[in-house]
Coordinates of all heavy atoms in Angstrom, one line a residue:
A253 N -6.8 -28.2 -11.5 CA -7.3 -29.1 -10.5 C -6.6 -28.9 -9.2 O -7.3 -28.8 -8.1 CB -7.1 -30.6 -10.9
A254 N -5.3 -28.8 -9.2 CA -4.6 -28.6 -7.9 C -5.0 -27.3 -7.2 O -5.2 -27.2 -6.0 CB -3.1 -28.6 -8.2
N255 N -5.0 -26.2 -8.0 CA -5.4 -24.9 -7.5 C -6.8 -24.9 -6.9 O -7.1 -24.3 -5.9 CB -5.2 -23.8 -8.5 CG -4.8 -22.5 -8.0 OD1 -4.2 -21.6 -8.7 ND2 -5.0 -22.2 -6.7
S256 N -7.7 -25.5 -7.7 CA -9.1 -25.6 -7.3 C -9.3 -26.3 -6.0 O -10.1 -25.9 -5.1 CB -10.0 -26.2 -8.4 OG -9.9 -25.5 -9.6
I257 N -8.6 -27.4 -5.8 CA -8.7 -28.2 -4.6 C -8.2 -27.4 -3.4 O -8.8 -27.4 -2.4 CB -7.9 -29.5 -4.8 CG1 -8.6 -30.4 -5.8 CG2 -7.9 -30.3 -3.4 CD1 -7.7 -31.6 -6.3
A258 N -7.0 -26.9 -3.6 CA -6.4 -26.2 -2.4 C -7.2 -25.0 -1.9 O -7.4 -24.8 -0.7 CB -5.0 -25.6 -2.9
V259 N -7.8 -24.3 -2.8 CA -8.7 -23.1 -2.4 C -10.0 -23.6 -1.8 O -10.4 -23.1 -0.7 CB -9.0 -22.2 -3.6 CG1 -10.0 -21.2 -3.3 CG2 -7.7 -21.6 -4.1
T260 N -10.6 -24.6 -2.4 CA -12.0 -25.0 -2.0 C -12.0 -25.6 -0.6 O -12.8 -25.2 0.3 CB -12.6 -26.0 -3.0 OG1 -12.7 -25.4 -4.3 CG2 -14.0 -26.3 -2.5
V261 N -11.0 -26.5 -0.3 CA -11.0 -27.1 1.0 C -10.6 -26.2 2.1 O -10.7 -26.5 3.3 CB -10.1 -28.4 1.0 CG1 -10.6 -29.4 0.0 CG2 -8.6 -28.0 0.8
S262 N -10.1 -25.0 1.7 CA -9.6 -24.0 2.7 C -10.7 -22.9 3.0 O -10.4 -22.0 3.7 CB -8.3 -23.4 2.2 OG -7.3 -24.3 2.0
G263 N -11.8 -23.1 2.3 CA -12.9 -22.1 2.6 C -13.0 -20.9 1.6 O -13.7 -20.0 1.8
G264 N -12.2 -21.0 0.5 CA -12.2 -20.0 -0.5 C -13.1 -20.2 -1.6 O -13.7 -21.3 -1.7
H265 N -13.3 -19.2 -2.5 CA -14.1 -19.4 -3.7 C -13.1 -19.3 -4.9 O -12.0 -18.8 -4.8 CB -15.1 -18.3 -3.8 CG -16.0 -18.2 -2.6 ND1 -17.2 -18.9 -2.6 CD2 -15.9 -17.7 -1.4 CE1 -17.8 -18.7 -1.4 NE2 -17.1 -18.0 -0.7
L266 N -13.6 -19.7 -6.1 CA -12.8 -19.8 -7.3 C -13.1 -18.8 -8.3 O -14.3 -18.5 -8.6 CB -13.0 -21.3 -7.9 CG -12.6 -22.4 -6.9 CD1 -13.0 -23.7 -7.5 CD2 -11.1 -22.4 -6.7
E267 N -12.1 -18.2 -8.9 CA -12.3 -17.2 -10.0 C -11.2 -17.4 -11.0 O -10.0 -17.7 -10.6 CB -12.2 -15.8 -9.4 CG -12.7 -14.7 -10.3 CD -11.6 -14.0 -11.1 OE1 -10.4 -14.3 -10.8 OE2 -11.9 -13.3 -12.1
G268 N -11.5 -17.3 -12.2 CA -10.5 -17.4 -13.2 C -11.1 -17.6 -14.6 O -12.3 -17.4 -14.7
L269 N -10.3 -17.8 -15.6 CA -9.0 -18.4 -15.4 C -8.0 -17.7 -16.3 O -8.4 -17.4 -17.5 CB -9.1 -19.9 -15.9 CG -8.7 -21.0 -15.0 CD1 -9.7 -22.1 -15.0 CD2 -7.4 -21.5 -15.5
G270 N -6.8 -17.4 -15.9 CA -5.8 -16.8 -16.7 C -4.8 -17.7 -17.2 O -3.7 -17.7 -16.8
S271 N -5.3 -18.6 -18.1 CA -4.4 -19.6 -18.7 C -3.2 -19.0 -19.4 O -3.2 -17.9 -19.9 CB -5.2 -20.5 -19.7 OG -6.3 -21.1 -19.1
A272 N -2.1 -19.7 -19.4 CA -0.8 -19.3 -19.9 C -0.4 -18.0 -19.3 O 0.2 -17.1 -19.9 CB -0.9 -19.1 -21.5
N273 N -0.6 -17.9 -18.0 CA -0.3 -16.7 -17.2 C -0.9 -15.4 -17.8 O -0.4 -14.3 -17.6 CB 1.2 -16.5 -17.1 CG 1.8 -17.5 -16.1 OD1 1.2 -17.8 -15.1 ND2 3.1 -17.9 -16.3
G274 N -2.0 -15.5 -18.5 CA -2.7 -14.4 -19.1 C -1.9 -13.6 -20.1 O -2.3 -12.5 -20.5
R275 N -0.8 -14.2 -20.6 CA 0.0 -13.5 -21.6 C -0.5 -13.6 -23.0 O -0.2 -12.7 -23.8 CB 1.5 -14.0 -21.5 CG 2.2 -13.8 -20.2 CD 3.6 -14.4 -20.2 NE 3.5 -15.8 -20.1 CZ 3.9 -16.7 -21.0 NH1 4.4 -16.2 -22.1 NH2 3.8 -18.0 -20.9
V276 N -1.2 -14.6 -23.3 CA -1.6 -14.9 -24.7 C -3.1 -15.4 -24.6 O -3.4 -16.0 -23.6 CB -0.7 -15.8 -25.5 CG1 0.6 -15.2 -25.9 CG2 -0.5 -17.1 -24.7
P277 N -3.9 -15.3 -25.7 CA -5.3 -15.7 -25.6 C -5.4 -17.3 -25.8 O -6.0 -17.7 -26.8 CB -6.0 -15.0 -26.7 CG -4.9 -14.7 -27.7 CD -3.6 -14.5 -26.9
H278 N -4.8 -18.0 -24.9 CA -4.8 -19.5 -25.0 C -5.6 -20.1 -24.0 O -5.3 -21.2 -23.5 CB -3.3 -20.0 -24.9 CG -2.5 -19.7 -26.1 ND1 -1.2 -20.2 -26.3 CD2 -2.7 -18.8 -27.2 CE1 -0.7 -19.7 -27.4 NE2 -1.6 -18.9 -28.0
G279 N -6.7 -19.4 -23.6 CA -7.6 -20.0 -22.6 C -9.0 -20.3 -23.3 O -9.4 -19.8 -24.3
T280 N -9.7 -21.3 -22.6 CA -11.0 -21.8 -23.2 C -11.9 -22.0 -22.0 O -11.6 -22.0 -20.9 CB -10.8 -23.1 -24.0 OG1 -10.6 -24.2 -23.1 CG2 -9.6 -23.0 -25.0
G281 N -13.2 -22.3 -22.4 CA -14.2 -22.6 -21.4 C -14.0 -24.0 -20.8 O -14.5 -24.3 -19.7
L282 N -13.2 -24.9 -21.4 CA -13.1 -26.2 -20.9 C -12.4 -26.3 -19.6 O -12.8 -27.0 -18.7 CB -12.4 -27.1 -22.0 CG -12.5 -28.7 -21.7 CD1 -14.0 -29.1 -21.7 CD2 -11.7 -29.4 -22.7
E283 N -11.2 -25.6 -19.5 CA -10.5 -25.6 -18.2 C -11.3 -24.9 -17.1 O -11.2 -25.2 -15.9 CB -9.1 -25.0 -18.3 CG -9.0 -23.6 -18.7 CD -8.9 -23.3 -20.2 OE1 -9.3 -24.2 -21.0 OE2 -8.4 -22.3 -20.6
V284 N -12.1 -23.9 -17.5 CA -13.0 -23.3 -16.5 C -14.1 -24.3 -16.1 O -14.5 -24.3 -14.9 CB -13.7 -22.0 -17.2 CG1 -14.5 -21.3 -16.1 CG2 -12.6 -21.1 -17.7
R285 N -14.6 -25.1 -17.0 CA -15.5 -26.2 -16.6 C -14.9 -27.1 -15.5 O -15.5 -27.4 -14.5 CB -15.9 -27.0 -17.8 CG -16.9 -28.1 -17.4 CD -17.0 -29.2 -18.6 NE -17.3 -28.6 -19.8 CZ -17.4 -29.2 -21.0 NH1 -17.1 -30.5 -21.0 NH2 -17.7 -28.6 -22.1
L286 N -13.6 -27.4 -15.7 CA -12.9 -28.3 -14.8 C -12.8 -27.6 -13.4 O -13.0 -28.2 -12.3 CB -11.5 -28.7 -15.2 CG -10.8 -29.7 -14.4 CD1 -11.5 -31.1 -14.4 CD2 -9.4 -29.9 -14.8
M287 N -12.5 -26.3 -13.4 CA -12.4 -25.6 -12.1 C -13.7 -25.7 -11.4 O -13.7 -26.0 -10.2 CB -12.1 -24.1 -12.4 CG -12.1 -23.2 -11.2 SD -12.0 -21.4 -11.6 CE -13.6 -21.1 -12.3
G288 N -14.8 -25.5 -12.1 CA -16.1 -25.5 -11.4 C -16.5 -26.9 -11.0 O -17.0 -27.1 -9.9
E289 N -16.2 -27.9 -11.8 CA -16.5 -29.3 -11.4 C -15.7 -29.8 -10.2 O -16.2 -30.4 -9.3 CB -16.3 -30.2 -12.6 CG -17.3 -30.1 -13.7 CD -17.3 -31.3 -14.7 OE1 -16.4 -31.5 -15.4 OE2 -18.4 -32.0 -14.7
V290 N -14.4 -29.5 -10.2 CA -13.5 -29.9 -9.1 C -14.0 -29.2 -7.8 O -14.1 -29.8 -6.8 CB -12.1 -29.6 -9.4 CG1 -11.2 -29.8 -8.2 CG2 -11.6 -30.5 -10.5
G291 N -14.2 -27.9 -7.9 CA -14.6 -27.2 -6.7 C -15.9 -27.7 -6.1 O -16.0 -27.9 -4.9
K292 N -16.9 -27.9 -7.0 CA -18.2 -28.4 -6.5 C -18.1 -29.8 -5.9 O -18.7 -30.1 -4.9 CB -19.2 -28.4 -7.6 CG -19.5 -27.0 -8.2 CD -20.5 -26.2 -7.3 CE -20.9 -25.0 -8.0 NZ -21.8 -24.2 -7.2

């Protein structure tokens, strides 16, 4: 949420997500949903 807000209000677009610093496969579609919902 914090990252999505900071980028969006500054004129940027959102791409991701590398959860757990991309080190292990601990990412899901749910946090990506939040990225999209917060940005929009």
